[in-house]
Structures are given as structure tokens and as C-alpha cells.
Amino acid sequence: MKGFEPQIVAFCCLNCAYSAADLAGSMRRQYAPNVRIIEIPCTGAIDQRVLLQTFEEGADGVFVAGCLEGDCRYQVGNIRAKKRVKALQKILDETGLGGERLEMFNLSAAMGNRFAEIADEMTRRIRCLGPSPLRRK
Ligand code: FES
């Protein structure tokens, strides 16, 4: 869609993805400015209501970025988040919003470049999908 600039919200674990985003900035690694980062203590803290509410409040895309599997400070927070994201993707598909608008990524604090790639990747994806049906209403 011409002129459409996606609004993407990234819930980033303080112990990894948030630092990776910070590192991308320190490295002056350019990435899409469409991503608004929200710092969370662990991806295990995020529940489906919060993710749904983020869409309701106008996000076109949402991603959750947590520690690498096996590295979660709370053992299984990122595994729980992965299951929640997967279940919600299904619901988003069923409701017509589109499960592709939601994604989960795992990365370490040292993966600044990867964070930038993810931000670009999600921006491209959501740009192709167009504005969220919730935002259009
Ligand atoms: Fe990072 Fe749990 S502490 S995902």
C-alpha cells in the first residue's frame, strides 16, 4: 500500500534483545525506524492479552524478542512466550487479522546486527501485509 508506514511494537527482554537493540544503536547500525521498543524483564512476562491490546491500540505488527533457548534467566520464560505467541498467531489467523503480524525471535545481547535485521524484516513483512484491519476501522 502506497505511503503506508507500519507501526511495529517490539517487546524486548531486558537481558538480551533490549541490549542487542542498544548495541545496534551503538554500532550505528541503521534499521527501520518503524519499531517501537518496549523493555520487559523476561518474555515470560508477556501474556496474550497484552499482545492483543497492542494490536487494538493500533500496532500493525508486534514481535517478542527473548533470550536464546536455554539462556532465559527464568529458565523457561522464553519457551512459554514462544507457546503463547504460537497460540495467538493461530487466533489472529482465525479472526482475519493474520498470524504473520506477530512473531517471536530469540537472540543474545551481542546480536546487534541480528536485531537490526529483524526490525527490517518485520517492517518489510508488515509493509507487504498493509495496515492492520483493526487500524483501518
Ligand atoms: Fe530473557 Fe527470559 S530472561 S527471555
Side-chain angles (χ1 to χ4, degrees):
M1 182 179 281
K2 204 176 170 193
F4 165 58
E5 276 307 321
Q7 291 178 22
I8 298 169
V9 175
F11 289 97
C12 294
C13 168
L14 164 72
N15 300 296
C16 55
Y18 190 80
S19 303
D22 213 26
L23 179 62
S26 313
M27 292 173 1
R28 304 203 185 286
R29 170 69 163 82
Q30 300 271 320
Y31 61 86
N34 307 61
V35 178
R36 203 177 107 218
I37 297 170
I38 297 178
E39 182 185 345
I40 53 173
C42 169
T43 55
I46 199 94
D47 70 20
Q48 293 180 338
R49 276 174 310 169
V50 171
L51 296 172
L52 272 174
Q53 196 182 347
T54 308
F55 282 111
E56 283 167 9
E57 286 175 2
D60 301 298
V62 175
F63 70 87
V64 178
C67 299
L68 295 171
E69 288 190 16
D71 284 352
C72 173
R73 186 170 285 195
Y74 304 94
Q75 314 283 326
V76 291
N78 52 1
I79 306 291
R80 284 199 183 118
K82 189 179 179 181
K83 285 182 187 159
R84 288 179 191 142
V85 165
K86 215 169 186 171
L88 190 55
Q89 282 174 326
K90 220 171 157 189
I91 293 168
L92 295 179
D93 272 335
E94 286 164 7
T95 56
L97 199 69
E100 318 94 295
R101 293 184 184 276
L102 174 68
E103 199 59 79
M104 165 105 196
F105 298 95
N106 297 88
L107 61 176
S108 75
M111 297 167 83
N113 267 323
R114 179 65 188 132
F115 182 87
E117 283 169 13
I118 288 168
D120 289 342
E121 200 176 301
M122 281 301 286
T123 302
R124 268 195 307 274
R125 184 194 296 188
I126 304 300
R127 204 171 265 146
C128 287
L129 291 170
S132 158
L134 290 179
R135 188 141 84 101
R136 279 188 229 136
K137 281 179 188 162

